[in-house]
Amino acid sequence: MEIRLILLDFLFILYINCGLSENTLYSAKLVHRFSDEAKARHSARVLRNGAEIADSGGAGDAWPKRRSLDYYRRLLSSDIQRQKLKLNPQFQFLYPSRGSATLPLGNDFGWLHYMWIDIGTPNVSFLVALDAGSDLLWVPCNCVQCAPLSSSYYSSLDKDLSEYNPSGSSTGKTLSCSHQLCEFGLNCENPKQQCPYTVNYSSDETSTSGVLVEDVLLLVSGHTNAPNMSVRAPVIIGCGSKQTGGYLNGVAPDGLMGLGRGEISVPSRLAKAGLIRNSFSLCFTEDDSGRLFLGDQGVAGEQSTSFLSSDKKNLTYIVGVDACCIGSSCLEYTNFDALVDSGTSFTFLPGQVYERVVKEFNGQVNASKSDFEGYPWQYCYKSSSEGLPKIPSLTLKFATNNSFVVHDPVFVIYGTQGAVGFCLAIQPTDEDIATIGQNFMTGYRMVYDRENFKLGWSRSNCQDLSEGDRMPLTPSADGTSPNPLPTTVQQNAPNAHAVGPAVAEKTPSKSSATCQQHSYFMKFFFVTLLALHTCVYTK
């Protein structure tokens, strides 16, 4: 040990006095972790430790064959493990343990998108509707007035729905009236009482009420190479003992997950806990399937527009639309503010804007206007024997010179012989604020970036982000987007700049013969020191 310390001191003095000579090269041999040399050293080390290795068995058989599937799998696994050490876990994206896929369940379930989630310990599964226009995650619980949960009541289900029981979960605990998230805490007679809640929704006098509890939501990491990475995230849950309105008629019979900006929402709780970025994405496809990813901030080059501060707490996702365009015709006086709401199936425009949009659409579409019994849309058309005509697109223009293009803004009506007509799937509203619903989001990956207070979008086939290396779509053969945006609006992505390799600054040169001789001594003592170190640790 003393000899090694003396050598270290001597090397340090030489380093300080002479530095590294500019014309001196130092080299070291690199050994690949799965090379034959590394394999031999591994076997020798095992033998020294007293392990028995036969000539045709033992550690050698476990060594991956170069360029084999196992070889590449092990390399990738090592890369992933290092990435976990480099990256803060809050930068992952998560989705419910039952999968990221959303389910469209038709008219029986109000045309909303649903997904299975697991709550509690032991976990219980719930089929919840997704709603970006509200905050609370609630499920039927200790029911006094709830929708039917039997599968026989619904044509789309093959198993019964669940009812939550807080006392049946070892991780469940009620919130008291004194809790900071208890909105109605001041109305309680005793601060230790259970925190009551009531949420009133805008349609059909629909509401849910009960008490608030805290329990765990089971999530998994968005990386396919880490399938065992699960997260039991504490969230606030509404124990919904009483529902009214649409909730008794098939809309969200097994609960609803609010994705709003309020502190009580699931994205807010996960972001505050440091589990995800403060963002999430939704994606819906032409066949009505979809995806939800918590923590997803989208992709580089996606288009975006800022959310508006429409209320003091910024609890809703509202954007400002500068103008509407039908085909290539942009209309005057069609600016409005709009709530971007996944919990609304269709799109609603303020009365005056609606009239201008439908008039222009009616003038451009090559089809005969018609009425279809039972369909509420005012602008419906018959299809010819040749099928549907070319449908003009509808474009929403934003102040940022970005555009959101709805390529197919219609709702197709089918008969026994196929498509018999279609309707412009927009409704008028008496409200000043419009609603952009699910039908306009189809074909897009919609990113609710709460961290940067903006809405992002990119054309997408809604594949699993973990399967597609987080790419939003499958590129075409020529590398262009399969759904390019109109050329009348600038859609350029940020310019990419190539970055050259880093070049280290040179240290001042010392060209004296003495220092050159010292450099050889440095090499000699460095090798000697390594030999002594190896000798000590291999005995």
Side-chain angles (χ1 to χ4, degrees), residues 180-191:
Q180 62 176 354
L181 294 179
C182 185
E183 183 179 352
F184 297 100
L186 296 177
N187 299 329
C188 299
E189 295 180 0
N190 187 328

Side-chain angles (χ1 to χ4, degrees), residues 161-191:
L161 299 175
S162 301
E163 181 178 347
Y164 177 66
N165 179 11
S167 62
S169 172
S170 62
T171 49
K173 57 182 180 181
T174 59
L175 263 64
S176 68
C177 290
S178 60
H179 195 281
Q180 62 176 354
L181 294 179
C182 185
E183 183 179 352
F184 297 100
L186 296 177
N187 299 329
C188 299
E189 295 180 0
N190 187 328

Side-chain angles (χ1 to χ4, degrees), residues 136 167 240 281 293 296 356 359 393 400 455 499 521:
L136 183 65
S167 62
S281 67
F293 289 100
D296 177 30
R356 289 184 172 89
K359 181 179 179 181
S393 63
T400 53
L455 176 74
V499 180
F521 281 106

Side-chain angles (χ1 to χ4, degrees), residues 28 40 51 66 142 220 226 232 253 260 273 304 311 323 409 416 419 458 486-487 511 513 521:
R66 193 166 188 268
N142 299 335
V220 294
R232 299 176 68 83
S304 65
D311 53 20
T416 55
S458 57
T487 56
S511 57
F521 281 106

